[in-house]
Amino acid sequence: MTSTVSNLATVSSSPGWSALPREYAIPEVAPPVKEAREYCLRLARSHYENFSVATWFLPARLRQDFFNVYAYCRISDDLGDEVGDTTASLELLDEWETELNACYDGQPRHPVFVALAETVKVFEIPKQEFADLLTAFRQDQKITRFPTFRDLLGYCRYSANPVGHLVLYLGGYRDHERQQLSDYTCTALQLANFWQDVSVDYAKGRIYLPLEDLRRFGVGEEDISAGQNSAAFREMLRFEVARTREWFAQGLPLVGKVSRELAVDIELFSRGGLEVLNAIERQGYAVLGNRPAISKTRKLALVARAALGKLL
């Protein structure tokens, strides 16, 4: 990703920035708003195919704002997950939060916050929604095990649920009822990702499966380490998948409580999460060393279904 933004001198003090793309660093001088918007657009479109597909169904008037929010979430996540050093990550997250505060005070320098400042003002988004995400990424540096499912839900409250709130704010919704339904969906999406990535997360030193469930089903950490898809492990994951389906079901009514244009995206992501669970089920819950994935055919089917809903 190239930009005149990346040519500006930077004042990012933490050496941790060197572990990340050069464009992530905080410039000494804030770029013009137009360049900042372009920065967010490029970042969003260069990372994840699924995000680009979802934006096909967004009303044109909201796309830039979604790009701005996504860019914030993307870099925040990378600061916590791609540096490879706990101390450095925590320092970077502190610097990032300083920029978040500057965004709300009217003096940001980073292009993400220059662009985001407009979105925040227009949609009156509380700063806490953005700050909560940073809480989750800080927790990732310190907490690698979750004793109970309740503890895991507490993590999702910061790591996933704020994203749904941000989407609702962009859609013009700020009531508790819709936020609660969104929380069910976002938590379910996060859980589905955890069950899909057990081996990936373990390689990073993390286990998101509740320890109480490991004990209940007689699964040890050594089983995960060895990639042993034992009968006990698969039965445990069957339980987690079934529980996650219930969370998706509780959140699905949100689709009928928002505008059609926003409902298409919400349903697309919900159905995508359910497809991840289906993929886990299809391989007999044996996810260790064999990450379940959604086939291109199934992805296209989801998109086609969403497109049909847009036309009806």
Side-chain angles (χ1 to χ4, degrees), residues 234-304:
R234 287 184 282 111
E235 190 59 29
M236 176 182 63
L237 208 61
R238 181 194 300 273
F239 168 75
E240 303 296 2
V241 166
R243 178 156 61 178
T244 304
R245 287 189 187 279
E246 293 175 2
W247 282 76
F248 272 119
Q250 291 183 83
L252 203 55
L254 178 62
V255 173
K257 294 180 180 293
V258 297
S259 65
R260 177 176 295 184
E261 55 194 13
L262 189 59
V264 171
D265 283 281
I266 292 174
E267 182 167 7
L268 181 61
F269 281 112
S270 296
R271 299 297 178 188
L274 286 167
E275 274 300 319
V276 169
L277 298 183
N278 291 341
I280 293 172
E281 189 176 69
R282 281 194 296 272
Q283 62 187 56
Y285 306 96
V287 302
L288 295 178
N290 185 22
R291 183 180 187 270
I294 305 174
S295 69
K296 289 184 178 180
T297 300
R298 289 183 180 275
K299 285 182 180 180
L300 287 173
L302 288 172
V303 173

Side-chain angles (χ1 to χ4, degrees), residues 15 37 41 69 90 109 214 225:
R37 291 173 185 156
L41 184 151
V69 169
L90 291 172
R109 293 193 311 274
L214 267 67
S225 175

Side-chain angles (χ1 to χ4, degrees), residues 2 10 27 47 121 136:
T2 59
T10 63
H47 272 68
K121 182 177 180 180

